Amino acid sequence: MKHCIPLFILCALSWVPTYASSGVVTGPPARSAASASRNSELPAELRTAWLGSPLKRFRHLVPERRALPSHISYYTQSGESLTIGGYRVTGISYGFYKDQLCCIELRVLGQANCQGLYSLMARAYGPSRALTSSSQQWVNPQVSLLYTEMPKGYATVVLSSTTLVAQYRADFLVPINTAV
């Protein structure tokens, strides 16, 4: 199971279609034979675990300590393989909001690993939308994928459920200028 998490992430990322940046939404992309064979290599627990899956479906998760408290609980999985597409990942965290998987965060160190992972995503999902000089984003109504490299040679990739993130924001972020 420890070698399957990166495959799970790539399968989950397959839900961010290449047309996401164009604003055209026609439903999830058709699965190729390659993604079908990747799914058959995963244990049943991970083949059926997508964003929004309940925390109780996951085993072997270890609570992660964060410097800032949050209403999102983060976990890691000890002993998992930390490579994706041949590029080294320094850490993978799983965020749960209201006991549902709302985000997966990858941390990447080294210019070659950062550029390789970014190129992998650009080939798979097409052009991204530049948010800043160091951040790129792919979005569809269900999933958001954010790549941020700052400083150079240190990247964070966050795959998140747009529905659960919107719910989190509605629950905890106070709108500006609410005084009457």
Side-chain angles (χ1 to χ4, degrees):
M1 182 158 137
K2 66 182 181 178
H3 300 289
C4 295
I5 294 298
L7 289 174
F8 161 72
I9 292 168
L10 288 177
C11 290
L13 293 177
S14 70
W15 286 94
V16 179
T18 57
Y19 54 77
S21 61
S22 68
V24 177
V25 179
T26 59
R31 293 191 175 224
S32 66
S35 66
S37 68
R38 271 198 313 247
N39 276 346
S40 65
E41 296 168 6
L42 298 173
E45 173 187 49
L46 296 178
R47 277 198 309 266
T48 59
W50 300 101
L51 292 172
S53 293
L55 175 62
K56 64 184 178 183
R57 291 186 89 177
F58 295 85
R59 297 179 216 146
H60 312 292
L61 292 178
V62 178
E64 184 179 277
R65 290 184 175 228
R66 293 273 171 143
L68 299 173
S70 170
H71 295 284
I72 297 176
S73 303
Y74 290 92
Y75 297 84
T76 59
Q77 188 164 20
S78 59
E80 69 184 321
S81 174
L82 295 176
T83 59
I84 295 179
Y87 301 103
R88 180 149 171 67
V89 176
T90 59
I92 302 173
S93 299
Y94 305 91
F96 290 84
Y97 178 63
K98 293 187 176 181
D99 288 339
Q100 292 180 301
L101 181 61
C102 77
C103 59
I104 300 169
E105 178 184 291
L106 307 172
R107 292 169 301 283
V108 184
L109 187 60
Q111 191 63 31
N113 291 320
C114 291
Q115 285 304 308
L117 193 57
Y118 177 79
S119 295
L120 186 80
M121 291 185 303
R123 281 192 309 271
Y125 314 119
S128 61
R129 181 172 57 124
L131 298 177
T132 66
S133 61
S134 60
S135 295
Q136 301 291 318
Q137 185 178 39
W138 294 264
V139 179
N140 76 17
Q142 295 82 29
V143 179
S144 173
L145 176 61
L146 177 66
Y147 174 91
T148 304
E149 187 175 354
M150 190 163 70
K152 214 59 163 157
Y154 180 78
T156 303
V157 178
V158 178
L159 171 74
S160 60
S161 162
T162 54
T163 304
L164 287 171
V165 169
Q167 183 180 7
Y168 169 78
R169 286 184 177 149
D171 290 347
F172 294 103
L173 298 180
V174 178
I176 298 173
N177 296 327
T178 58
V180 178

